[in-house]
Amino acid sequence: MATGTPAIDGSGASARFKRSRSRHLFEQLIGLSLFACAAVTVVTTVGIVAILLAEGLTFFTEISPLEFFTGTRWTPLFQSAGFGVLPLVNGTLIVALGASLVALPVGTLAAIYLSEYASPQIRSIIKPVLEVLAGIPTIVFGYFALTFITPFLKDTIFPEIGVFNALSGMIVVGIMTIPMVSSISDDSMRAVPQELREAAYGVGATKFEVVTRVTFPAALSGIVASYILAISRAIGETMAVTLAVGATPRMGFDILDSFQTMTAYIVNVSLGDTPQGTTEFRTIFAVALTLFAMTLLMNLISARVVQRYRERYE
Amino acid sequence: MADSTNSNGGVAVVDEQVADERDAAVGASSSGRDFRPTLGAAQIDQQEDTIEDVAVQIDDVGLWYGAKKAIEGVSLDVQRHEITALIGPSGCGKSTLLRCINRMNELIPGVRIEGQIRVDGDPLYGSDVDPVEVRRAVGMVFQKPNPFPKSIYENVAFGARINGYKGNMDELVERSLRQAALWDEVKDQLKESGLALSGGQQQRLCIARAIAVQPEVILMDEPCSALDPIATQRIEDLMQELAADYTIVIVTHNMQQAARVSNRTAFMLAEEDLVGRLVEYGRTDQLFTSPNDSRTEDYITGRFG
C-alpha cells in the first residue's frame, strides 16, 4: 500500500512539486477498498473450507472414515443408522455420467458447427440462445424434468419409469451443461490459427478433413477442459437433481428408478427437522466435504489441461 | 478460335462462363501462343520473350472482397518449371492474385472472382470444379511457417494421407524432406513436433509438406518474410532446385529476392482507385534493367512502395 517514495532528505519539496495530502489519502483509500473486495473471496473460501473441515472432522470422530467411505447403506436418519456414503456417490456419479453422455457429444458437435460451419449470421443467433440456456435457473430444469420429461418418457418409451428417476435428471443436467461444453470448445477451436486451416486446405483437405484432422486435434486440450468443467458442474448440480431424481439413496444402475445424489441429500437434511449439532446433522458436512474434494480434483485436472492448451501453438 | 485473353470481358459470374472458357482454353494452350501483355504495345518486349510451355494461364482475373474491388483484369501466362515473381507495393493485390491460383480466397466470406485461370489448359473455376482437387494440383507455402502441431513425419505425410496415398509412406516422407533440403537435419527426430524446429526449418518443412502431395505448381506467399537472412538464403537455393520439377509462383516484398531467384517478374500496382492491376510482366533481367513502364521504374528504383 506504500504509494509514496520518501524524499531523500525528508524535506525540501518546492511548492510546485509538493505532495497533496488529500490526494495521497484518497489514493490510499481506493487501494484499500479494492483490496477489501478482493479479500472477500479469499476469506469466504477459507471460511467455508474451515467449517467443512471442522464439522467434517468432528463427524469422523463419531463415525469411522472406513465405514463412511466403504459402507453401502446410507440411512443416517433411521433407527438402524447406516453411514456408508457410497449410495450417494453412486447416485451422483450415475447422473453425472448420464449427463455427460448427453452434454459432451451434443456440446462438441454444436461447437464444431458454430466455429467451423455456421455463417456469421447463424452464429449471431445461436450464440445468444446458448447463453440464455446457460442462464436458466436450474430449479426450472428440475421442474421441466419432473413435469415434462418424465411423463413424456412414461408415455413413449418407458411405461415403468418412476415419478422420480435418474434418467430424466441425466437428460436435464446434460442439457444444462451443453452451453458450457459448446461455448468453451467453440472458443478453443476459434483460437486455432487460421493459418493451420489454410495449410490443410492447401494440400487438398476437404472441410471435414480440416475439422477432424487439424482444428479439432489442435483444440483438443481446450475441449477436454470444457468436458471436465461440465462433468464437475454435473457432479455439483443440486436443484434439478433434487427435483428430478428424488431421495432414495441406493446402489445399482437402474436409471428408471429414483436415486439420491450427494447434493440432494444435503438439501433434504438442511430443510428437514434434523436437530443441529447431532451426528445425523453433521453428515451433511461430511458429504459436502467429499463433494468438495471431488469437484476440486476435477477443477485441478482441468486447470492442468488448460495450461497445456495455452502452450500449444508455439 | 478467338484469342481467349478478352473473350469474356466484363463482369460475369464465373459459373456461367465456364463452358466457353473451357473451349477457349483448349485452343489457347495447345497453340502455345505468344505472350502479349494486355497493357499496350509499349511494353512488348523486343527480345525473345515467348512462353513456350504455359503451366498456368491467368485470364482477365478480377476479384471483389464484398463490394470492394481488389484486383482487375489481370492476365498473364506462367512458364512451366520457372520461377515467376509477383512484386508490387503493399495492397497491390499480388497475394490476392496468388491465392486465386489455388482458390484459397474462397475461404474468405464475401469474395467474388471473375475471369478464368487454367492449369495445363484445365479451368480452375466453374460450378463443376472441385476446389479440393485444384489445391491438390496447386500447392502453397505461406508467409508465416505454419506446420501442424504434429510430428515432423505427420506434417509431411498429412497431405498424402488425406489423398489416400497407397505407396510407401516412409519413402515419400524421406523423399519430400530430401527435396526440401531438410532430411539431414531432421532424420533422427521425425517423431518430434514440427513446432520444435527453427523458423527456417519450419518453412522447409512446410515446403516438404506441399511437395509430398506432388503438385504441379507451388505458390509461395512471401515465404521468407519471417526468416533471417541465412534461412532466407537456404529457401532461395531450394526454390532454384525445385524449379526443375515444379512451376513456382512467388509473391515477394523484397525486390532483391525477386531479382535473385525469379526468371520472370510481374509488377502489380494499385493506383488512386486502390484496385490492383498488372503494370508490367517480362523477363526478370529485362524488367529490372530496362523496364518499359515508368511506374515500374519508379518502384524498382525505390521511388515509392
Side-chain angles (χ1 to χ4, degrees):
Chain A
M1 225 74 344
T3 48
T5 313
I8 289 171
D9 60 357
S11 67
S14 67
R16 187 153 66 113
F17 298 133
K18 188 122 185 95
R19 176 185 291 167
S20 148
R21 180 177 288 266
S22 62
R23 181 196 289 167
H24 181 67
L25 219 77
F26 178 74
E27 285 295 332
Q28 280 206 317
L29 209 68
I30 293 288
L32 266 172
S33 38
L34 293 179
F35 170 78
C37 291
V40 166
T41 61
V42 178
V43 170
T44 315
T45 310
V46 170
I48 288 174
V49 172
I51 291 171
L52 279 183
L53 277 176
E55 296 280 344
L57 291 179
T58 313
F59 173 83
F60 284 126
T61 59
E62 294 154 353
I63 305 295
S64 86
L66 188 72
E67 181 189 347
F68 183 75
F69 287 114
T70 59
T72 55
R73 218 165 57 84
W74 182 256
T75 52
L77 309 180
F78 291 4
Q79 206 66 47
S80 62
F83 290 97
V85 80
L86 285 183
L88 296 184
V89 173
N90 180 56
T92 294
L93 290 184
I94 278 186
V95 172
L97 181 74
S100 309
L101 290 178
V102 175
L104 305 195
V106 176
T108 308
L109 296 178
I112 290 176
Y113 174 73
L114 282 175
S115 121
E116 307 296 316
Y117 285 85
S119 69
Q121 293 88 335
I122 292 180
R123 197 183 146 75
S124 70
I125 296 169
I126 295 184
K127 266 291 211 186
V129 172
L130 272 172
E131 270 151 39
V132 171
L133 185 62
I136 294 176
T138 62
I139 188 87
V140 175
F141 278 104
Y143 196 70
F144 176 68
L146 197 60
T147 60
F148 178 77
I149 293 184
T150 297
F152 175 79
L153 291 172
K154 195 178 182 68
D155 292 345
T156 52
I157 320 170
F158 303 114
E160 73 275 26
I161 200 166
V163 175
F164 299 105
N165 61 84
L167 183 59
S168 64
M170 293 169 174
I171 294 172
V172 285
V173 175
I175 293 173
M176 203 184 305
T177 43
I178 286 172
M180 181 174 266
V181 175
S182 66
S183 141
I184 297 176
S185 300
D186 175 37
D187 287 347
S188 65
M189 280 194 280
R190 286 169 72 82
V192 173
Q194 183 64 17
E195 293 91 59
L196 286 185
R197 293 189 186 89
E198 291 189 342
Y201 281 118
V203 290
T206 62
K207 184 159 202 158
F208 184 70
E209 286 162 345
V210 173
V211 172
T212 53
R213 295 180 188 237
V214 175
T215 321
F216 188 85
L220 192 61
S221 322
I223 293 167
V224 170
S226 83
Y227 291 175
I228 295 168
L229 285 175
I231 296 169
S232 171
R233 162 95 195 271
I235 289 174
E237 171 47 37
T238 307
M239 287 323 293
V241 292
T242 305
L243 272 187
V245 183
T248 319
R250 72 162 86 232
M251 302 301 285
F253 304 96
D254 183 6
I255 57 171
L256 299 182
D257 221 330
S258 172
F259 284 83
Q260 187 170 42
T261 65
M262 301 164 83
T263 49
Y265 172 75
I266 296 172
V267 170
N268 282 353
V269 173
S270 309
L271 298 178
D273 47 10
T274 316
Q276 291 202 20
T278 60
T279 305
E280 290 76 26
F281 188 78
R282 270 195 285 273
T283 51
I284 63 173
F285 292 100
V287 170
L289 196 60
T290 313
L291 187 63
F292 174 70
M294 285 166 69
T295 48
L296 181 69
L297 184 71
M298 296 295 281
N299 288 348
L300 287 179
I301 294 173
S302 130
R304 295 272 311 235
V305 175
V306 170
Q307 187 155 18
R308 206 185 120 226
Y309 157 69
R310 286 214 180 98
E311 299 169 350
R312 192 68 203 205
Y313 311 112
E314 288 302 333
Chain B
M1 182 152 298
D3 181 348
S4 65
T5 309
N6 288 313
S7 61
N8 282 286
V11 180
V13 177
V14 168
D15 297 355
E16 291 169 3
Q17 63 186 76
V18 171
D20 28 337
E21 287 287 349
R22 186 181 299 127
D23 295 338
V26 173
S29 63
S30 58
S31 66
R33 73 197 169 93
D34 288 357
F35 169 68
R36 288 282 184 274
T38 53
L39 295 145
Q43 288 154 24
I44 296 174
D45 205 319
Q46 308 305 314
Q47 295 181 347
E48 277 295 299
D49 189 20
T50 50
I51 309 240
E52 302 90 14
D53 190 1
V54 180
V56 181
Q57 183 189 34
I58 297 170
D59 189 356
D60 200 22
V61 164
L63 180 143
W64 282 259
Y65 291 115
K68 186 193 170 301
K69 191 159 198 178
I71 54 177
E72 177 180 81
V74 177
S75 297
L76 63 88
D77 290 354
V78 175
Q79 167 75 30
R80 191 181 310 283
H81 294 181
E82 274 193 359
I83 300 175
T84 301
L86 306 178
I87 63 167
S90 297
C92 72
K94 55 194 189 299
S95 285
T96 299
L97 177 66
L98 187 80
R99 291 163 64 94
C100 287
I101 306 177
N102 68 345
R103 297 191 58 170
M104 206 51 114
N105 284 319
E106 284 152 67
L107 302 179
I108 304 163
V111 163
R112 193 160 60 86
I113 297 158
E114 66 172 14
Q116 185 56 280
I117 297 177
R118 299 178 185 85
V119 170
D120 296 338
D122 297 322
L124 304 188
Y125 287 90
S127 56
D128 52 353
V129 175
D130 185 353
V132 168
E133 295 299 330
V134 169
R135 295 183 197 123
R136 286 172 187 182
V138 185
M140 188 153 192
V141 176
F142 298 83
Q143 184 168 0
K144 195 171 152 241
N146 56 354
F148 299 123
K150 301 176 191 289
S151 72
I152 292 169
Y153 185 98
E154 286 303 320
N155 261 283
V156 181
F158 181 89
R161 280 200 206 289
I162 59 172
N163 292 329
Y165 179 72
K166 293 287 187 294
N168 185 326
M169 190 62 82
D170 290 353
E171 273 173 22
L172 177 74
V173 169
E174 178 174 345
R175 190 168 68 236
S176 306
L177 284 169
R178 279 190 194 283
Q179 271 195 297
L182 188 60
W183 174 253
D184 290 335
E185 291 161 61
V186 302
K187 62 181 178 220
D188 298 323
Q189 55 184 91
L190 294 176
K191 295 276 170 275
E192 282 169 42
S193 169
L195 295 171
L197 300 174
S198 72
Q201 288 174 324
Q202 286 189 13
Q203 196 61 303
R204 277 180 279 144
L205 178 62
C206 293
I207 292 173
R209 178 176 66 192
I211 60 188
V213 191
Q214 303 291 315
E216 288 173 53
V217 181
I218 301 176
L219 310 176
M220 297 189 173
D221 188 358
E222 301 190 41
C224 302
S225 64
L227 305 181
D228 64 54
I230 293 168
T232 299
Q233 171 77 51
R234 298 204 63 163
I235 301 277
E236 289 181 3
D237 292 347
L238 175 58
M239 286 167 59
Q240 306 277 15
E241 291 163 26
L242 291 175
D245 299 311
Y246 305 94
T247 304
I248 297 176
V249 183
I250 176 177
V251 161
T252 177
H253 248 102
N254 180 332
M255 278 181 284
Q256 285 73 34
Q257 182 170 58
R260 279 194 301 265
V261 302
S262 71
N263 305 94
R264 287 166 208 274
T265 298
F267 171 59
M268 290 180 69
L269 185 60
E271 290 176 294
E272 287 79 26
D273 59 0
L274 301 179
V275 179
R277 294 180 184 82
L278 181 64
V279 172
E280 186 165 351
Y281 177 46
R283 296 200 60 83
T284 298
D285 47 7
Q286 179 80 23
L287 187 132
F288 275 93
T289 52
S290 51
N292 289 317
D293 193 293
S294 62
R295 292 168 295 176
T296 313
E297 186 166 10
D298 287 348
Y299 182 69
I300 61 177
T301 54
R303 236 164 276 168
F304 69 90

